[in-house]
Amino acid sequence: MSTLLEISHLKKYYTTTKAVEDVSFSVKEGELVVIIGPSGAGKSTVLRCINRMIDATDGSILFEGKEITTIKEEKSLKLLRRRIGMIFQSFNLVYRLSVFQNVLHGRLGYMSTVDSMFGRYSEEDKKKALEILDMIGLKENIYKRAGELSGGQKQRVGIARALMQEPSLLLCDEPIASLDPSSSKIIMDQIHKMSKERNIACIVNLHQVDVAKTYADRIIGIHKGRVVFDDVPEKLTDDMIERIYETPIAELTVGLEKGQVS
Ligand code: ADP
């Protein structure tokens, strides 16, 4: 497996906050990497620097062998973003549009401005969208408005849309934070399947350490904008979890349970 993404000494400062101090790690093709860490540790900022939703303050990000922190032209950014899919905690779907249309949006990065304005998708794209929706178990719902779906179904539409992009990397920012346990399992199973069957590298930000341990090839622990752990799940000890979260394990468990109830 060759290296797909290599982040070196990434730094992101805001006027009042040092969101990311010093983050370095690499991701191989098809690898499923989970980033854990307390709220405010900088996990989301790292993902947003990778797809250039925000600009890094310093450091380097090599993606498919190219430095991407310095890309300026819109055309090159469009090329970059279609190789990087993203799914969000809040799904980011267009709720008034159908499931089918939302999934087709994954092809926009491949179309001319005029074709995308008028929604002129090719027959090939439509066929592909149907195949993906069938694979992900949403074929019965294709003409439903996305807003009518359950949370778990909405996230499956998010995954289907990302798959339409044919990405080599998928960034997942807290993909199960709004879901119940059974929907969470379906979503994590799908992300795992994408990584292994389609060789798509996935970086998943998660709060739940147990879920991270179940699905990750590798876990990265971030604390106050720095990587403090980067290894296989088996090496993540309770001591290390306490260090990452700066909280005793017992309190952490209670905290998570409280979080689920509220
Ligand atoms: P996490 O995803 O681990 O919860 P974030 O990456 O969202 O952490 O945030 C890291 C830190 O950066 C936090 O202190 C947060 O308040 C701050 N931060 C995030 N975005 C902004 C912004 N746009 N402006 C100022 N501070 C920000």
Side-chain angles (χ1 to χ4, degrees):
M1 273 202 300
S2 54
T3 301
L4 180 74
L5 179 80
E6 195 161 1
I7 302 179
S8 312
H9 304 295
L10 183 71
K11 187 189 277 194
K12 175 65 184 176
Y13 284 3
Y14 291 103
T15 325
T16 50
T17 327
K18 294 177 173 178
V20 173
E21 267 292 343
D22 185 7
V23 165
S24 303
F25 65 88
S26 57
V27 179
K28 294 193 175 76
E29 286 173 7
E31 194 175 20
L32 201 170
V33 172
V34 174
I35 304 182
I36 59 168
S39 191
K43 306 183 292 298
S44 180
T45 304
V46 171
L47 294 197
R48 294 189 309 143
C49 287
I50 297 172
N51 77 350
R52 291 290 309 272
M53 280 163 86
I54 55 173
D55 291 333
T57 305
D58 201 4
S60 151
I61 303 177
L62 289 179
F63 173 67
E64 296 183 334
K66 294 194 195 77
E67 177 61 53
I68 59 164
T69 54
T70 48
I71 297 177
K72 295 230 162 33
E73 316 80 52
E74 266 313 308
K75 205 172 159 195
S76 309
L77 278 176
K78 187 175 171 181
L79 287 177
L80 168 75
R81 288 190 182 124
R82 73 186 190 190
R83 301 290 293 152
I84 302 179
M86 183 134 192
I87 66 172
F88 305 85
Q89 174 180 353
S90 50
F91 318 122
N92 285 26
L93 304 177
V94 184
Y95 286 157
R96 67 189 160 79
L97 294 182
S98 70
V99 166
F100 192 48
Q101 282 169 307
N102 271 280
V103 173
L104 282 168
H105 281 174
R107 291 310 288 175
L108 291 177
Y110 288 87
M111 293 160 65
S112 69
T113 314
V114 177
D115 281 350
S116 58
M117 258 170 67
F118 291 103
R120 289 200 291 244
Y121 298 99
S122 69
E123 287 309 308
E124 201 185 319
D125 286 347
K126 291 179 194 168
K127 194 166 157 252
K128 191 174 157 70
L130 283 175
E131 279 167 13
I132 291 175
L133 282 163
D134 190 20
M135 186 271 295
I136 213 153
L138 284 176
K139 208 175 176 187
E140 310 298 306
N141 296 298
I142 59 171
Y143 298 116
K144 259 197 189 164
R145 287 192 308 114
E148 292 174 44
L149 303 178
S150 69
Q153 288 172 325
K154 283 177 183 147
Q155 196 57 291
R156 276 192 272 164
V157 176
I159 292 178
R161 180 181 57 190
L163 276 178
M164 282 296 285
Q165 279 178 246
E166 296 181 342
S168 59
L169 175 65
L170 181 71
L171 306 175
C172 311
D173 198 6
E174 301 283 354
I176 58 170
S178 314
L179 305 179
D180 61 73
S182 92
S183 302
S184 297
K185 182 177 181 324
I186 292 170
I187 295 303
M188 287 309 300
D189 284 346
Q190 282 293 348
I191 291 172
H192 186 258
K193 195 171 157 193
M194 280 168 72
S195 139
K196 301 308 153 208
E197 289 182 4
R198 297 181 183 234
N199 203 33
I200 300 172
C202 300
I203 307 179
V204 189
N205 283 352
L206 283 180
H207 264 112
Q208 305 87 334
V209 178
D210 53 335
V211 180
K213 282 186 161 181
T214 307
Y215 289 94
D217 294 320
R218 237 174 69 226
I219 294 178
I220 292 172
I222 297 193
H223 179 79
K224 292 186 179 164
R226 292 175 191 273
V227 174
V228 293
F229 178 83
D230 180 353
D231 213 327
V232 291
E234 299 75 45
K235 295 271 174 67
L236 183 68
T237 59
D238 285 357
D239 282 353
M240 180 49 75
I241 295 169
E242 290 188 344
R243 188 171 156 215
I244 293 169
Y245 287 90
E246 232 178 338
T247 310
I249 283 280
E251 277 178 42
L252 208 52
T253 314
V254 172
L256 286 174
E257 280 168 4
K258 270 185 191 158
Q260 278 165 2
V261 174
S262 59

